[in-house]
Amino acid sequence: MKTRLAVLTLPVLFLCGLQVSGQNPPAPLGEQLRVYRQAHEKQILTEFVNLLSIPNHAGDTADIERNAKAVSAMLQARGVTVRLLRVPGASPVVFGELRTPGATRTIGVYAHYDGQPTDPAQWQHPPFSPVLRDASGKVVDWQAQEHFDPQARIYARSTSDDKAPIEATMAALDALRAAHVVPSVNLKFFFEGEEEAGSPHLAEILAKYPETLSADAWLLCDGPVHQSGRMQVDYGARGDIDVEMTVYGPAHPLHSGHYGNWAPNPIVLLTHLLDSMRDDDAHILIPGFYDDVRPLTPSEKRMLAETPAADAQLEQELAIAQPEGDGAKLAAQILKPAINVRGIQAGHVGGQAANVISTEARASLDIRLVPDQTPERVRREIEQHIARQGFFIVRQTPDLATRRAHAKVIKLEWGPGLSRLSRAGG
Ligand SMILES: [Zn+2]
């Protein structure tokens, strides 16, 4: 099996830090930071490798505590005041604060120190024994080097997602200090320990520490570099809610030769419902769905126009002859709300196919929301739309009496939305 990729290009180390520049004009400061980085590559890499060597599966409490301790120590070494934020049953959040006298604004930096579970059998090297590979993929002895090819890659769990921003933050703080730059803002650091488990306690932690965690803006350092390989700053991330839908047919599976054309087919009911919600060009067909969407400002439009487009390269790589969206660029499409059909399940296919009318059909959707849309309103609009298609909506599995009483019954189970996009990104 191929090694799972976990990549970090060294320049990415400074993505977060550049946001906190002080009084100096940006160009000279950027140059100073670059010089600092070049002079300290080995030191940065050594600290990073040490962090990557601590196993960090969200379920392993002892290892998670070791990570939290290590990250705390890294912050403390930079003069950051650190405490662990805890709620019962949760991995601790490493919270740090660096106040600037006289500063009136606060920037928060988010990253997570936990990682996905690993299957060592699928790794060419143990996932928590980092190795450096050069651009050709050959393992090189990084300890014998002082400077590193930016095209080299470190392989270890969480190298990119999401310990890189933690090390980047440390390096940025060091570089700013070396340049005698005092941040013009207060800084808060929030390093989560169970993001890959779906952040099950994040809402509780936010609710428990509202003052501690207030900031004027947050940098969420948990996303991909641009497809062109260049660093990028995203100015927001779409919200996400999800719903499980189950549509019902006859109480027992029926033979299609005996009952086809008579017994309602739940798969057809479901696919027609999905078709009524979204077309194959990504337009959402639910009336009123776009009413709340805040239009792009002129400056947002300008930034969009200036974003380098990697569409042609991606279309080639992903074998997409025609993307959704009427010719709009990817960067524009992800600024719009979206309904994604993330799964559909009913009946059987291939060797298991049978001439049967199924009893139920299920679909799973995730719905991406943009500024000024609210989950409550979107849920209501979707439910009203489903009701207008003739469905009787239930929250629990319907009994036979309910199914006898209504031509079309659908069970809707709303979830809070999983922030994971199966790790295509943040
Ligand atoms: Zn992540």
Side-chain angles (χ1 to χ4, degrees):
M1 300 292 281
K2 266 170 64 179
T3 302
R4 280 193 199 178
L5 281 185
V7 295
L8 166 72
T9 53
L10 293 173
V12 173
L13 287 173
F14 289 91
L15 176 62
C16 298
L18 289 173
Q19 295 305 303
V20 294
S21 54
Q23 291 81 12
N24 295 20
L29 176 60
E31 188 49 37
Q32 286 182 65
L33 298 181
R34 190 168 300 107
V35 168
Y36 175 91
R37 189 260 294 166
Q38 285 163 349
H40 295 83
E41 283 182 353
K42 182 71 167 285
Q43 181 188 320
I44 295 168
L45 195 64
T46 302
E47 184 179 53
F48 191 34
V49 165
N50 289 341
L51 181 61
L52 293 174
S53 301
I54 310 173
N56 65 343
H57 178 216
D60 296 335
T61 312
D63 283 337
I64 282 295
E65 294 289 338
R66 283 175 65 206
N67 277 275
K69 203 172 157 194
V71 174
S72 299
M74 289 162 74
L75 282 169
Q76 280 159 343
R78 275 83 183 180
V80 177
T81 308
V82 180
R83 57 193 275 223
L84 297 182
L85 306 184
R86 292 183 184 274
V87 299
S91 303
V93 168
V94 179
F95 175 77
E97 205 167 2
L98 196 62
R99 289 184 172 275
T100 304
T104 55
R105 295 193 178 240
T106 300
I107 302 289
V109 176
Y110 168 94
H112 61 88
Y113 63 80
D114 66 306
Q116 287 271 323
T118 55
D119 176 1
Q122 297 195 9
W123 286 69
Q124 292 178 11
H125 294 271
F128 300 104
S129 300
V131 294
L132 185 71
R133 290 176 184 270
D134 66 16
S136 72
K138 193 163 76 67
V139 174
V140 292
D141 179 9
W142 68 271
Q143 279 165 316
Q145 298 181 36
E146 287 302 318
H147 298 286
F148 301 90
D149 176 2
Q151 293 308 313
R153 296 288 184 269
I154 301 164
Y155 285 73
R157 168 56 84 230
S158 300
T159 303
S160 170
D161 182 5
D162 190 33
K163 283 180 170 176
I166 296 176
E167 182 54 36
T169 301
M170 306 302 162
L173 290 173
D174 290 343
L176 289 171
R177 180 157 300 168
H180 304 293
V181 173
V182 178
S184 57
V185 293
N186 298 311
L187 290 168
K188 290 181 177 179
F189 305 97
F190 183 96
F191 297 139
E192 193 187 1
E194 51 184 27
E195 195 272 352
E196 299 290 7
S199 300
H201 300 91
L202 184 56
E204 196 180 339
I205 290 166
L206 291 172
K208 184 172 172 186
Y209 300 99
E211 291 301 315
T212 307
L213 299 177
S214 70
D216 295 289
W218 280 92
L219 296 173
L220 303 182
C221 301
D222 189 16
V225 293
H226 190 257
Q227 293 88 356
S228 64
R230 293 167 64 180
M231 291 187 280
Q232 71 176 348
V233 177
D234 290 301
Y235 287 85
R238 288 182 290 183
D240 189 25
I241 55 174
D242 60 73
V243 64
E244 298 290 316
M245 308 164 63
T246 309
V247 170
Y248 298 89
H252 307 290
L254 296 174
H255 193 286
S256 64
H258 302 160
Y259 294 98
N261 288 355
W262 182 82
N265 186 316
I267 301 173
V268 175
L269 292 175
L270 181 64
T271 56
H272 276 71
L273 176 62
L274 294 174
D275 283 345
S276 76
M277 296 173 73
R278 174 206 200 277
D279 70 15
D280 58 7
D281 225 355
H283 299 121
I284 295 167
L285 305 173
I286 297 169
F289 197 89
Y290 292 100
D291 288 356
D292 289 340
V293 173
R294 189 197 301 169
L296 296 185
T297 63
S299 68
E300 286 168 339
K301 284 182 184 163
R302 201 170 54 243
M303 280 191 285
L304 187 57
E306 289 170 2
T307 304
D311 294 55
Q313 173 205 327
L314 284 171
E315 287 164 27
Q316 176 75 16
E317 196 178 311
L318 300 171
I320 294 173
Q322 190 183 330
E324 295 184 329
D326 289 331
K329 296 287 174 215
L330 168 62
Q333 282 301 97
I334 59 171
L335 296 178
K336 299 172 185 170
I339 293 181
N340 177 48
V341 182
R342 56 185 186 179
I344 189 161
Q345 202 171 69
H348 299 284
V349 299
Q352 282 81 47
N355 298 339
V356 156
I357 298 160
S358 299
T359 59
E360 61 179 55
R362 301 181 59 184
S364 183
L365 311 184
D366 76 288
I367 299 139
R368 296 273 159 186
L369 309 183
V370 301
D372 293 355
Q373 288 189 300
T374 64
E376 297 71 30
R377 202 176 139 111
V378 166
R379 277 187 210 111
R380 193 166 64 238
E381 283 166 355
I382 289 176
E383 293 205 356
Q384 286 169 348
H385 172 79
I386 291 173
R388 278 194 302 272
Q389 311 310 304
F391 283 91
F392 181 73
I393 297 171
V394 295
R395 312 289 162 185
Q396 310 286 337
T397 301
D399 58 18
L400 293 179
T402 305
R403 289 166 67 168
R404 285 184 192 114
H406 301 277
K408 297 198 262 186
V409 178
I410 188 168
K411 178 171 70 169
L412 296 180
E413 297 164 284
W414 290 96
L418 297 171
S419 64
R420 28 175 116 195
L421 37 143
S422 75
R423 305 316 357 160

